[in-house]
Amino acid sequence: MFETLVIIAVVLAIVIAVVLILAMTKPDTFRVERAATVNASAEKVFPLIADFHQWLSWSPWEGRDPALKRTYSGAERGKGAVYAWDGNKNVGSGRMEILEAASPSKIVIKLDFLKPFEASNTAEFTMLPQGNATNVTWVMHGPAPFMSKVMQVFMNFDRMIGKDFEMGLANLRTISEK
């Protein structure tokens, strides 16, 4: 019995050590990027991103909590606009503030998550005209603290967040092309 407990403890210690070693090999920053071509002008796409009130129509997270509490403050849209949310475990809580809004080509957002974990990241949208269409790129990047690196041993952030970006870009495409 005692030998079995010792074996279990040793195996558990080895598993923990392997996870910690793998976490240490992860990069200190992360970056998730997705792009889509929208058959609409950048002037039509830009306001949908620069006005947080418009996110209700395309954001991949808006429908995940019917009771989501939203607060808007600061500027109505563009630089200085603030959007805070508090929701269920599917959306957590946090705050976004537009730091830069260079119409119709670029929007930079400070993104602070409070729940289920604290993190401060940057989101960027760029709109590049391509003839009658626009190439829209959505990027999120930021630091990867050690606990984030441990989570990355078990989860692929790029795949997990990337699929939400793909859904949001598809929603933007549908709305912009109407």
Side-chain angles (χ1 to χ4, degrees), residues 55-56 59-70 83-96 111-119 140 164 167:
W55 285 49
L56 290 167
S59 171
W61 299 287
E62 286 293 334
R64 293 189 184 163
D65 180 1
L68 184 69
K69 295 179 188 92
R70 299 169 187 86
Y83 170 68
W85 73 94
D86 188 18
N88 63 21
K89 64 181 175 76
N90 295 318
V91 295
S93 65
R95 180 183 187 275
M96 296 189 289
L111 177 57
D112 294 318
F113 294 101
L114 304 173
K115 291 182 202 169
F117 55 87
E118 288 190 28
M140 183 169 68
D164 289 336
M167 182 188 308

PDB file of all heavy atoms in Angstrom, residues 55-56 59-70 83-96 111-119 140 164 167:
ATOM      1  N   TRP A  55     -21.080  46.464 -32.393  1.00  0.00           N
ATOM      2  CA  TRP A  55     -20.537  45.125 -32.160  1.00  0.00           C
ATOM      3  C   TRP A  55     -21.635  44.108 -31.876  1.00  0.00           C
ATOM      4  O   TRP A  55     -21.458  42.913 -32.090  1.00  0.00           O
ATOM      5  CB  TRP A  55     -19.517  45.153 -31.019  1.00  0.00           C
ATOM      6  CG  TRP A  55     -18.201  45.747 -31.411  1.00  0.00           C
ATOM      7  CD1 TRP A  55     -17.992  46.930 -32.063  1.00  0.00           C
ATOM      8  CD2 TRP A  55     -16.908  45.194 -31.173  1.00  0.00           C
ATOM      9  NE1 TRP A  55     -16.649  47.154 -32.246  1.00  0.00           N
ATOM     10  CE2 TRP A  55     -15.963  46.100 -31.700  1.00  0.00           C
ATOM     11  CE3 TRP A  55     -16.459  44.038 -30.554  1.00  0.00           C
ATOM     12  CZ2 TRP A  55     -14.597  45.865 -31.629  1.00  0.00           C
ATOM     13  CZ3 TRP A  55     -15.095  43.815 -30.482  1.00  0.00           C
ATOM     14  CH2 TRP A  55     -14.180  44.717 -31.023  1.00  0.00           C
ATOM     15  N   LEU A  56     -22.783  44.582 -31.382  1.00  0.00           N
ATOM     16  CA  LEU A  56     -23.918  43.686 -31.131  1.00  0.00           C
ATOM     17  C   LEU A  56     -24.289  42.902 -32.389  1.00  0.00           C
ATOM     18  O   LEU A  56     -24.756  41.778 -32.312  1.00  0.00           O
ATOM     19  CB  LEU A  56     -25.141  44.485 -30.662  1.00  0.00           C
ATOM     20  CG  LEU A  56     -25.052  45.084 -29.267  1.00  0.00           C
ATOM     21  CD1 LEU A  56     -26.163  46.105 -29.058  1.00  0.00           C
ATOM     22  CD2 LEU A  56     -25.125  43.998 -28.221  1.00  0.00           C
ATOM     23  N   SER A  59     -20.103  40.795 -33.375  1.00  0.00           N
ATOM     24  CA  SER A  59     -19.133  40.189 -32.460  1.00  0.00           C
ATOM     25  C   SER A  59     -19.499  38.737 -32.158  1.00  0.00           C
ATOM     26  O   SER A  59     -20.654  38.442 -31.840  1.00  0.00           O
ATOM     27  CB  SER A  59     -19.057  40.976 -31.149  1.00  0.00           C
ATOM     28  OG  SER A  59     -18.275  40.267 -30.209  1.00  0.00           O
ATOM     29  N   PRO A  60     -18.532  37.833 -32.216  1.00  0.00           N
ATOM     30  CA  PRO A  60     -18.823  36.424 -31.978  1.00  0.00           C
ATOM     31  C   PRO A  60     -19.186  36.114 -30.527  1.00  0.00           C
ATOM     32  O   PRO A  60     -19.689  35.036 -30.234  1.00  0.00           O
ATOM     33  CB  PRO A  60     -17.517  35.715 -32.371  1.00  0.00           C
ATOM     34  CG  PRO A  60     -16.459  36.747 -32.204  1.00  0.00           C
ATOM     35  CD  PRO A  60     -17.118  38.060 -32.544  1.00  0.00           C
ATOM     36  N   TRP A  61     -18.969  37.048 -29.621  1.00  0.00           N
ATOM     37  CA  TRP A  61     -19.233  36.788 -28.204  1.00  0.00           C
ATOM     38  C   TRP A  61     -20.576  37.351 -27.726  1.00  0.00           C
ATOM     39  O   TRP A  61     -21.046  36.973 -26.668  1.00  0.00           O
ATOM     40  CB  TRP A  61     -18.100  37.355 -27.341  1.00  0.00           C
ATOM     41  CG  TRP A  61     -16.800  36.717 -27.693  1.00  0.00           C
ATOM     42  CD1 TRP A  61     -16.410  35.441 -27.395  1.00  0.00           C
ATOM     43  CD2 TRP A  61     -15.743  37.296 -28.438  1.00  0.00           C
ATOM     44  NE1 TRP A  61     -15.163  35.204 -27.921  1.00  0.00           N
ATOM     45  CE2 TRP A  61     -14.715  36.327 -28.568  1.00  0.00           C
ATOM     46  CE3 TRP A  61     -15.530  38.538 -29.019  1.00  0.00           C
ATOM     47  CZ2 TRP A  61     -13.528  36.557 -29.233  1.00  0.00           C
ATOM     48  CZ3 TRP A  61     -14.345  38.767 -29.684  1.00  0.00           C
ATOM     49  CH2 TRP A  61     -13.365  37.783 -29.790  1.00  0.00           C
ATOM     50  N   GLU A  62     -21.168  38.244 -28.483  1.00  0.00           N
ATOM     51  CA  GLU A  62     -22.383  38.926 -28.029  1.00  0.00           C
ATOM     52  C   GLU A  62     -23.545  37.983 -27.755  1.00  0.00           C
ATOM     53  O   GLU A  62     -24.318  38.215 -26.845  1.00  0.00           O
ATOM     54  CB  GLU A  62     -22.804  40.003 -29.031  1.00  0.00           C
ATOM     55  CG  GLU A  62     -21.937  41.236 -28.997  1.00  0.00           C
ATOM     56  CD  GLU A  62     -22.045  42.043 -27.717  1.00  0.00           C
ATOM     57  OE1 GLU A  62     -23.081  42.001 -27.027  1.00  0.00           O
ATOM     58  OE2 GLU A  62     -21.061  42.730 -27.392  1.00  0.00           O
ATOM     59  N   GLY A  63     -23.694  36.919 -28.508  1.00  0.00           N
ATOM     60  CA  GLY A  63     -24.841  36.029 -28.327  1.00  0.00           C
ATOM     61  C   GLY A  63     -24.633  34.933 -27.302  1.00  0.00           C
ATOM     62  O   GLY A  63     -25.529  34.135 -27.060  1.00  0.00           O
ATOM     63  N   ARG A  64     -23.474  34.891 -26.673  1.00  0.00           N
ATOM     64  CA  ARG A  64     -23.160  33.781 -25.764  1.00  0.00           C
ATOM     65  C   ARG A  64     -23.717  33.958 -24.356  1.00  0.00           C
ATOM     66  O   ARG A  64     -23.641  33.038 -23.550  1.00  0.00           O
ATOM     67  CB  ARG A  64     -21.655  33.568 -25.707  1.00  0.00           C
ATOM     68  CG  ARG A  64     -21.146  33.072 -27.041  1.00  0.00           C
ATOM     69  CD  ARG A  64     -19.730  32.654 -26.980  1.00  0.00           C
ATOM     70  NE  ARG A  64     -19.306  32.283 -28.334  1.00  0.00           N
ATOM     71  CZ  ARG A  64     -18.057  32.170 -28.695  1.00  0.00           C
ATOM     72  NH1 ARG A  64     -17.108  32.361 -27.820  1.00  0.00           N
ATOM     73  NH2 ARG A  64     -17.751  31.846 -29.919  1.00  0.00           N
ATOM     74  N   ASP A  65     -24.248  35.133 -24.069  1.00  0.00           N
ATOM     75  CA  ASP A  65     -24.881  35.374 -22.772  1.00  0.00           C
ATOM     76  C   ASP A  65     -26.040  36.327 -22.981  1.00  0.00           C
ATOM     77  O   ASP A  65     -25.850  37.531 -23.121  1.00  0.00           O
ATOM     78  CB  ASP A  65     -23.875  35.962 -21.777  1.00  0.00           C
ATOM     79  CG  ASP A  65     -24.505  36.240 -20.408  1.00  0.00           C
ATOM     80  OD1 ASP A  65     -25.707  35.958 -20.217  1.00  0.00           O
ATOM     81  OD2 ASP A  65     -23.785  36.739 -19.529  1.00  0.00           O
ATOM     82  N   PRO A  66     -27.268  35.798 -23.005  1.00  0.00           N
ATOM     83  CA  PRO A  66     -28.443  36.659 -23.221  1.00  0.00           C
ATOM     84  C   PRO A  66     -28.602  37.733 -22.141  1.00  0.00           C
ATOM     85  O   PRO A  66     -29.223  38.762 -22.375  1.00  0.00           O
ATOM     86  CB  PRO A  66     -29.630  35.691 -23.180  1.00  0.00           C
ATOM     87  CG  PRO A  66     -29.040  34.317 -23.298  1.00  0.00           C
ATOM     88  CD  PRO A  66     -27.613  34.392 -22.869  1.00  0.00           C
ATOM     89  N   ALA A  67     -28.035  37.512 -20.959  1.00  0.00           N
ATOM     90  CA  ALA A  67     -28.165  38.470 -19.858  1.00  0.00           C
ATOM     91  C   ALA A  67     -26.925  39.355 -19.727  1.00  0.00           C
ATOM     92  O   ALA A  67     -26.745  40.014 -18.704  1.00  0.00           O
ATOM     93  CB  ALA A  67     -28.420  37.725 -18.552  1.00  0.00           C
ATOM     94  N   LEU A  68     -26.088  39.393 -20.749  1.00  0.00           N
ATOM     95  CA  LEU A  68     -24.851  40.180 -20.702  1.00  0.00           C
ATOM     96  C   LEU A  68     -25.139  41.637 -20.334  1.00  0.00           C
ATOM     97  O   LEU A  68     -26.023  42.261 -20.914  1.00  0.00           O
ATOM     98  CB  LEU A  68     -24.151  40.118 -22.068  1.00  0.00           C
ATOM     99  CG  LEU A  68     -22.802  40.816 -22.167  1.00  0.00           C
ATOM    100  CD1 LEU A  68     -21.754  40.072 -21.339  1.00  0.00           C
ATOM    101  CD2 LEU A  68     -22.350  40.886 -23.617  1.00  0.00           C
ATOM    102  N   LYS A  69     -24.377  42.153 -19.361  1.00  0.00           N
ATOM    103  CA  LYS A  69     -24.511  43.557 -18.964  1.00  0.00           C
ATOM    104  C   LYS A  69     -23.446  44.350 -19.701  1.00  0.00           C
ATOM    105  O   LYS A  69     -22.261  44.040 -19.612  1.00  0.00           O
ATOM    106  CB  LYS A  69     -24.331  43.696 -17.458  1.00  0.00           C
ATOM    107  CG  LYS A  69     -25.414  43.001 -16.660  1.00  0.00           C
ATOM    108  CD  LYS A  69     -25.159  43.162 -15.161  1.00  0.00           C
ATOM    109  CE  LYS A  69     -26.117  42.323 -14.371  1.00  0.00           C
ATOM    110  NZ  LYS A  69     -25.592  40.988 -14.054  1.00  0.00           N
ATOM    111  N   ARG A  70     -23.876  45.383 -20.424  1.00  0.00           N
ATOM    112  CA  ARG A  70     -22.968  46.227 -21.209  1.00  0.00           C
ATOM    113  C   ARG A  70     -23.006  47.652 -20.673  1.00  0.00           C
ATOM    114  O   ARG A  70     -24.067  48.166 -20.337  1.00  0.00           O
ATOM    115  CB  ARG A  70     -23.417  46.254 -22.672  1.00  0.00           C
ATOM    116  CG  ARG A  70     -23.419  44.933 -23.352  1.00  0.00           C
ATOM    117  CD  ARG A  70     -24.134  45.030 -24.715  1.00  0.00           C
ATOM    118  NE  ARG A  70     -24.280  43.730 -25.310  1.00  0.00           N
ATOM    119  CZ  ARG A  70     -25.275  42.903 -25.072  1.00  0.00           C
ATOM    120  NH1 ARG A  70     -26.240  43.247 -24.234  1.00  0.00           N
ATOM    121  NH2 ARG A  70     -25.325  41.725 -25.655  1.00  0.00           N
ATOM    122  N   TYR A  83     -16.128  50.325 -23.840  1.00  0.00           N
ATOM    123  CA  TYR A  83     -17.172  49.308 -23.727  1.00  0.00           C
ATOM    124  C   TYR A  83     -16.740  48.348 -22.626  1.00  0.00           C
ATOM    125  O   TYR A  83     -15.637  47.805 -22.670  1.00  0.00           O
ATOM    126  CB  TYR A  83     -17.320  48.572 -25.054  1.00  0.00           C
ATOM    127  CG  TYR A  83     -18.202  47.341 -25.026  1.00  0.00           C
ATOM    128  CD1 TYR A  83     -19.564  47.448 -24.823  1.00  0.00           C
ATOM    129  CD2 TYR A  83     -17.666  46.074 -25.241  1.00  0.00           C
ATOM    130  CE1 TYR A  83     -20.376  46.321 -24.833  1.00  0.00           C
ATOM    131  CE2 TYR A  83     -18.472  44.949 -25.259  1.00  0.00           C
ATOM    132  CZ  TYR A  83     -19.819  45.073 -25.043  1.00  0.00           C
ATOM    133  OH  TYR A  83     -20.625  43.958 -25.055  1.00  0.00           O
ATOM    134  N   ALA A  84     -17.579  48.174 -21.614  1.00  0.00           N
ATOM    135  CA  ALA A  84     -17.304  47.210 -20.552  1.00  0.00           C
ATOM    136  C   ALA A  84     -18.427  46.190 -20.552  1.00  0.00           C
ATOM    137  O   ALA A  84     -19.571  46.506 -20.899  1.00  0.00           O
ATOM    138  CB  ALA A  84     -17.227  47.916 -19.202  1.00  0.00           C
ATOM    139  N   TRP A  85     -18.091  44.969 -20.195  1.00  0.00           N
ATOM    140  CA  TRP A  85     -19.087  43.918 -20.165  1.00  0.00           C
ATOM    141  C   TRP A  85     -18.909  43.065 -18.922  1.00  0.00           C
ATOM    142  O   TRP A  85     -17.827  42.971 -18.359  1.00  0.00           O
ATOM    143  CB  TRP A  85     -19.025  43.057 -21.425  1.00  0.00           C
ATOM    144  CG  TRP A  85     -17.834  42.144 -21.483  1.00  0.00           C
ATOM    145  CD1 TRP A  85     -17.779  40.836 -21.085  1.00  0.00           C
ATOM    146  CD2 TRP A  85     -16.524  42.466 -21.929  1.00  0.00           C
ATOM    147  NE1 TRP A  85     -16.517  40.335 -21.255  1.00  0.00           N
ATOM    148  CE2 TRP A  85     -15.723  41.320 -21.774  1.00  0.00           C
ATOM    149  CE3 TRP A  85     -15.926  43.625 -22.437  1.00  0.00           C
ATOM    150  CZ2 TRP A  85     -14.374  41.290 -22.116  1.00  0.00           C
ATOM    151  CZ3 TRP A  85     -14.584  43.596 -22.778  1.00  0.00           C
ATOM    152  CH2 TRP A  85     -13.828  42.441 -22.620  1.00  0.00           C
ATOM    153  N   ASP A  86     -20.018  42.459 -18.500  1.00  0.00           N
ATOM    154  CA  ASP A  86     -20.004  41.532 -17.373  1.00  0.00           C
ATOM    155  C   ASP A  86     -21.021  40.450 -17.700  1.00  0.00           C
ATOM    156  O   ASP A  86     -22.202  40.742 -17.890  1.00  0.00           O
ATOM    157  CB  ASP A  86     -20.373  42.260 -16.075  1.00  0.00           C
ATOM    158  CG  ASP A  86     -20.184  41.382 -14.843  1.00  0.00           C
ATOM    159  OD1 ASP A  86     -19.461  40.367 -14.922  1.00  0.00           O
ATOM    160  OD2 ASP A  86     -20.768  41.718 -13.797  1.00  0.00           O
ATOM    161  N   GLY A  87     -20.513  39.225 -17.802  1.00  0.00           N
ATOM    162  CA  GLY A  87     -21.402  38.158 -18.225  1.00  0.00           C
ATOM    163  C   GLY A  87     -21.106  36.827 -17.564  1.00  0.00           C
ATOM    164  O   GLY A  87     -20.364  36.741 -16.592  1.00  0.00           O
ATOM    165  N   ASN A  88     -21.666  35.800 -18.157  1.00  0.00           N
ATOM    166  CA  ASN A  88     -21.523  34.447 -17.633  1.00  0.00           C
ATOM    167  C   ASN A  88     -20.132  33.884 -17.931  1.00  0.00           C
ATOM    168  O   ASN A  88     -19.261  34.586 -18.438  1.00  0.00           O
ATOM    169  CB  ASN A  88     -22.629  33.548 -18.196  1.00  0.00           C
ATOM    170  CG  ASN A  88     -22.554  33.390 -19.714  1.00  0.00           C
ATOM    171  OD1 ASN A  88     -21.518  33.602 -20.347  1.00  0.00           O
ATOM    172  ND2 ASN A  88     -23.668  33.014 -20.304  1.00  0.00           N
ATOM    173  N   LYS A  89     -19.932  32.596 -17.659  1.00  0.00           N
ATOM    174  CA  LYS A  89     -18.617  31.973 -17.844  1.00  0.00           C
ATOM    175  C   LYS A  89     -18.195  31.919 -19.305  1.00  0.00           C
ATOM    176  O   LYS A  89     -17.013  31.798 -19.609  1.00  0.00           O
ATOM    177  CB  LYS A  89     -18.594  30.569 -17.243  1.00  0.00           C
ATOM    178  CG  LYS A  89     -19.535  29.579 -17.913  1.00  0.00           C
ATOM    179  CD  LYS A  89     -19.458  28.213 -17.245  1.00  0.00           C
ATOM    180  CE  LYS A  89     -20.462  27.266 -17.812  1.00  0.00           C
ATOM    181  NZ  LYS A  89     -20.152  26.727 -19.086  1.00  0.00           N
ATOM    182  N   ASN A  90     -19.137  32.065 -20.230  1.00  0.00           N
ATOM    183  CA  ASN A  90     -18.801  32.034 -21.653  1.00  0.00           C
ATOM    184  C   ASN A  90     -18.178  33.331 -22.162  1.00  0.00           C
ATOM    185  O   ASN A  90     -17.489  33.329 -23.174  1.00  0.00           O
ATOM    186  CB  ASN A  90     -20.041  31.720 -22.501  1.00  0.00           C
ATOM    187  CG  ASN A  90     -20.571  30.331 -22.218  1.00  0.00           C
ATOM    188  OD1 ASN A  90     -19.805  29.385 -22.087  1.00  0.00           O
ATOM    189  ND2 ASN A  90     -21.881  30.212 -22.119  1.00  0.00           N
ATOM    190  N   VAL A  91     -18.448  34.437 -21.472  1.00  0.00           N
ATOM    191  CA  VAL A  91     -17.916  35.736 -21.918  1.00  0.00           C
ATOM    192  C   VAL A  91     -17.098  36.456 -20.858  1.00  0.00           C
ATOM    193  O   VAL A  91     -16.354  37.385 -21.178  1.00  0.00           O
ATOM    194  CB  VAL A  91     -19.040  36.671 -22.439  1.00  0.00           C
ATOM    195  CG1 VAL A  91     -19.688  36.110 -23.679  1.00  0.00           C
ATOM    196  CG2 VAL A  91     -20.073  36.942 -21.368  1.00  0.00           C
ATOM    197  N   GLY A  92     -17.227  36.070 -19.605  1.00  0.00           N
ATOM    198  CA  GLY A  92     -16.463  36.706 -18.540  1.00  0.00           C
ATOM    199  C   GLY A  92     -16.800  38.171 -18.383  1.00  0.00           C
ATOM    200  O   GLY A  92     -17.910  38.614 -18.682  1.00  0.00           O
ATOM    201  N   SER A  93     -15.811  38.933 -17.938  1.00  0.00           N
ATOM    202  CA  SER A  93     -16.012  40.378 -17.816  1.00  0.00           C
ATOM    203  C   SER A  93     -14.719  41.081 -18.208  1.00  0.00           C
ATOM    204  O   SER A  93     -13.633  40.502 -18.146  1.00  0.00           O
ATOM    205  CB  SER A  93     -16.429  40.767 -16.391  1.00  0.00           C
ATOM    206  OG  SER A  93     -15.392  40.496 -15.480  1.00  0.00           O
ATOM    207  N   GLY A  94     -14.880  42.322 -18.629  1.00  0.00           N
ATOM    208  CA  GLY A  94     -13.716  43.079 -19.047  1.00  0.00           C
ATOM    209  C   GLY A  94     -14.086  44.454 -19.571  1.00  0.00           C
ATOM    210  O   GLY A  94     -15.215  44.919 -19.408  1.00  0.00           O
ATOM    211  N   ARG A  95     -13.102  45.053 -20.246  1.00  0.00           N
ATOM    212  CA  ARG A  95     -13.259  46.429 -20.718  1.00  0.00           C
ATOM    213  C   ARG A  95     -12.416  46.628 -21.971  1.00  0.00           C
ATOM    214  O   ARG A  95     -11.297  46.120 -22.057  1.00  0.00           O
ATOM    215  CB  ARG A  95     -12.771  47.363 -19.617  1.00  0.00           C
ATOM    216  CG  ARG A  95     -12.840  48.825 -19.912  1.00  0.00           C
ATOM    217  CD  ARG A  95     -12.252  49.623 -18.739  1.00  0.00           C
ATOM    218  NE  ARG A  95     -12.437  51.038 -18.876  1.00  0.00           N
ATOM    219  CZ  ARG A  95     -11.618  51.843 -19.555  1.00  0.00           C
ATOM    220  NH1 ARG A  95     -10.553  51.369 -20.155  1.00  0.00           N
ATOM    221  NH2 ARG A  95     -11.867  53.135 -19.626  1.00  0.00           N
ATOM    222  N   MET A  96     -12.954  47.362 -22.933  1.00  0.00           N
ATOM    223  CA  MET A  96     -12.212  47.735 -24.145  1.00  0.00           C
ATOM    224  C   MET A  96     -12.256  49.249 -24.289  1.00  0.00           C
ATOM    225  O   MET A  96     -13.281  49.868 -24.008  1.00  0.00           O
ATOM    226  CB  MET A  96     -12.849  47.115 -25.400  1.00  0.00           C
ATOM    227  CG  MET A  96     -12.814  45.624 -25.452  1.00  0.00           C
ATOM    228  SD  MET A  96     -13.330  44.966 -27.068  1.00  0.00           S
ATOM    229  CE  MET A  96     -15.093  45.315 -27.064  1.00  0.00           C
ATOM    230  N   LEU A 111      -7.510  46.078 -24.566  1.00  0.00           N
ATOM    231  CA  LEU A 111      -8.459  45.038 -24.161  1.00  0.00           C
ATOM    232  C   LEU A 111      -8.035  44.474 -22.816  1.00  0.00           C
ATOM    233  O   LEU A 111      -6.963  43.873 -22.699  1.00  0.00           O
ATOM    234  CB  LEU A 111      -8.470  43.947 -25.238  1.00  0.00           C
ATOM    235  CG  LEU A 111      -9.306  42.723 -25.059  1.00  0.00           C
ATOM    236  CD1 LEU A 111     -10.766  43.058 -24.839  1.00  0.00           C
ATOM    237  CD2 LEU A 111      -9.154  41.825 -26.286  1.00  0.00           C
ATOM    238  N   ASP A 112      -8.851  44.705 -21.791  1.00  0.00           N
ATOM    239  CA  ASP A 112      -8.549  44.215 -20.444  1.00  0.00           C
ATOM    240  C   ASP A 112      -9.608  43.202 -20.025  1.00  0.00           C
ATOM    241  O   ASP A 112     -10.792  43.531 -19.950  1.00  0.00           O
ATOM    242  CB  ASP A 112      -8.529  45.372 -19.434  1.00  0.00           C
ATOM    243  CG  ASP A 112      -7.389  46.340 -19.688  1.00  0.00           C
ATOM    244  OD1 ASP A 112      -6.275  45.870 -19.980  1.00  0.00           O
ATOM    245  OD2 ASP A 112      -7.626  47.557 -19.604  1.00  0.00           O
ATOM    246  N   PHE A 113      -9.160  41.982 -19.767  1.00  0.00           N
ATOM    247  CA  PHE A 113     -10.046  40.940 -19.253  1.00  0.00           C
ATOM    248  C   PHE A 113      -9.937  40.929 -17.734  1.00  0.00           C
ATOM    249  O   PHE A 113      -8.843  41.052 -17.187  1.00  0.00           O
ATOM    250  CB  PHE A 113      -9.630  39.559 -19.782  1.00  0.00           C
ATOM    251  CG  PHE A 113      -9.794  39.409 -21.260  1.00  0.00           C
ATOM    252  CD1 PHE A 113      -8.703  39.507 -22.101  1.00  0.00           C
ATOM    253  CD2 PHE A 113     -11.036  39.169 -21.814  1.00  0.00           C
ATOM    254  CE1 PHE A 113      -8.832  39.364 -23.465  1.00  0.00           C
ATOM    255  CE2 PHE A 113     -11.187  39.024 -23.181  1.00  0.00           C
ATOM    256  CZ  PHE A 113     -10.088  39.122 -24.007  1.00  0.00           C
ATOM    257  N   LEU A 114     -11.073  40.791 -17.053  1.00  0.00           N
ATOM    258  CA  LEU A 114     -11.081  40.709 -15.598  1.00  0.00           C
ATOM    259  C   LEU A 114     -11.429  39.300 -15.129  1.00  0.00           C
ATOM    260  O   LEU A 114     -10.860  38.796 -14.177  1.00  0.00           O
ATOM    261  CB  LEU A 114     -12.071  41.726 -15.021  1.00  0.00           C
ATOM    262  CG  LEU A 114     -11.819  43.177 -15.444  1.00  0.00           C
ATOM    263  CD1 LEU A 114     -12.949  44.087 -14.979  1.00  0.00           C
ATOM    264  CD2 LEU A 114     -10.481  43.649 -14.905  1.00  0.00           C
ATOM    265  N   LYS A 115     -12.412  38.668 -15.791  1.00  0.00           N
ATOM    266  CA  LYS A 115     -12.822  37.296 -15.489  1.00  0.00           C
ATOM    267  C   LYS A 115     -12.932  36.540 -16.806  1.00  0.00           C
ATOM    268  O   LYS A 115     -13.325  37.135 -17.799  1.00  0.00           O
ATOM    269  CB  LYS A 115     -14.205  37.274 -14.814  1.00  0.00           C
ATOM    270  CG  LYS A 115     -14.267  37.816 -13.427  1.00  0.00           C
ATOM    271  CD  LYS A 115     -15.689  37.652 -12.930  1.00  0.00           C
ATOM    272  CE  LYS A 115     -16.024  38.588 -11.809  1.00  0.00           C
ATOM    273  NZ  LYS A 115     -17.443  38.613 -11.505  1.00  0.00           N
ATOM    274  N   PRO A 116     -12.678  35.312 -16.881  1.00  0.00           N
ATOM    275  CA  PRO A 116     -12.333  34.385 -15.810  1.00  0.00           C
ATOM    276  C   PRO A 116     -10.874  34.488 -15.371  1.00  0.00           C
ATOM    277  O   PRO A 116     -10.471  33.887 -14.384  1.00  0.00           O
ATOM    278  CB  PRO A 116     -12.617  33.018 -16.414  1.00  0.00           C
ATOM    279  CG  PRO A 116     -12.389  33.202 -17.877  1.00  0.00           C
ATOM    280  CD  PRO A 116     -12.795  34.625 -18.162  1.00  0.00           C
ATOM    281  N   PHE A 117     -10.081  35.263 -16.091  1.00  0.00           N
ATOM    282  CA  PHE A 117      -8.694  35.503 -15.704  1.00  0.00           C
ATOM    283  C   PHE A 117      -8.348  36.927 -16.091  1.00  0.00           C
ATOM    284  O   PHE A 117      -8.954  37.502 -16.980  1.00  0.00           O
ATOM    285  CB  PHE A 117      -7.745  34.503 -16.404  1.00  0.00           C
ATOM    286  CG  PHE A 117      -7.902  34.504 -17.903  1.00  0.00           C
ATOM    287  CD1 PHE A 117      -7.195  35.401 -18.693  1.00  0.00           C
ATOM    288  CD2 PHE A 117      -8.775  33.616 -18.512  1.00  0.00           C
ATOM    289  CE1 PHE A 117      -7.364  35.418 -20.074  1.00  0.00           C
ATOM    290  CE2 PHE A 117      -8.937  33.633 -19.900  1.00  0.00           C
ATOM    291  CZ  PHE A 117      -8.233  34.525 -20.674  1.00  0.00           C
ATOM    292  N   GLU A 118      -7.380  37.502 -15.404  1.00  0.00           N
ATOM    293  CA  GLU A 118      -6.959  38.863 -15.723  1.00  0.00           C
ATOM    294  C   GLU A 118      -5.904  38.842 -16.815  1.00  0.00           C
ATOM    295  O   GLU A 118      -4.983  38.022 -16.781  1.00  0.00           O
ATOM    296  CB  GLU A 118      -6.410  39.559 -14.478  1.00  0.00           C
ATOM    297  CG  GLU A 118      -7.493  39.911 -13.486  1.00  0.00           C
ATOM    298  CD  GLU A 118      -6.992  40.804 -12.366  1.00  0.00           C
ATOM    299  OE1 GLU A 118      -6.040  41.574 -12.570  1.00  0.00           O
ATOM    300  OE2 GLU A 118      -7.579  40.726 -11.270  1.00  0.00           O
ATOM    301  N   ALA A 119      -6.075  39.730 -17.781  1.00  0.00           N
ATOM    302  CA  ALA A 119      -5.100  39.862 -18.860  1.00  0.00           C
ATOM    303  C   ALA A 119      -5.301  41.216 -19.523  1.00  0.00           C
ATOM    304  O   ALA A 119      -6.419  41.723 -19.611  1.00  0.00           O
ATOM    305  CB  ALA A 119      -5.282  38.750 -19.888  1.00  0.00           C
ATOM    306  N   MET A 140      -4.959  40.080 -32.217  1.00  0.00           N
ATOM    307  CA  MET A 140      -4.880  40.306 -30.778  1.00  0.00           C
ATOM    308  C   MET A 140      -3.509  39.828 -30.336  1.00  0.00           C
ATOM    309  O   MET A 140      -3.064  38.747 -30.720  1.00  0.00           O
ATOM    310  CB  MET A 140      -5.965  39.559 -30.009  1.00  0.00           C
ATOM    311  CG  MET A 140      -5.909  39.863 -28.511  1.00  0.00           C
ATOM    312  SD  MET A 140      -7.330  39.273 -27.543  1.00  0.00           S
ATOM    313  CE  MET A 140      -7.134  37.519 -27.637  1.00  0.00           C
ATOM    314  N   ASP A 164     -13.080  32.161 -33.177  1.00  0.00           N
ATOM    315  CA  ASP A 164     -13.989  33.268 -32.855  1.00  0.00           C
ATOM    316  C   ASP A 164     -13.742  34.456 -33.786  1.00  0.00           C
ATOM    317  O   ASP A 164     -14.686  35.094 -34.252  1.00  0.00           O
ATOM    318  CB  ASP A 164     -13.810  33.707 -31.400  1.00  0.00           C
ATOM    319  CG  ASP A 164     -14.355  32.682 -30.416  1.00  0.00           C
ATOM    320  OD1 ASP A 164     -15.236  31.886 -30.794  1.00  0.00           O
ATOM    321  OD2 ASP A 164     -13.899  32.683 -29.264  1.00  0.00           O
ATOM    322  N   MET A 167     -15.341  33.717 -37.089  1.00  0.00           N
ATOM    323  CA  MET A 167     -16.788  33.913 -37.026  1.00  0.00           C
ATOM    324  C   MET A 167     -17.131  35.402 -37.049  1.00  0.00           C
ATOM    325  O   MET A 167     -18.039  35.827 -37.766  1.00  0.00           O
ATOM    326  CB  MET A 167     -17.365  33.272 -35.764  1.00  0.00           C
ATOM    327  CG  MET A 167     -18.879  33.397 -35.650  1.00  0.00           C
ATOM    328  SD  MET A 167     -19.544  32.841 -34.044  1.00  0.00           S
ATOM    329  CE  MET A 167     -18.821  31.232 -33.898  1.00  0.00           C
TER     330      MET A 167
END
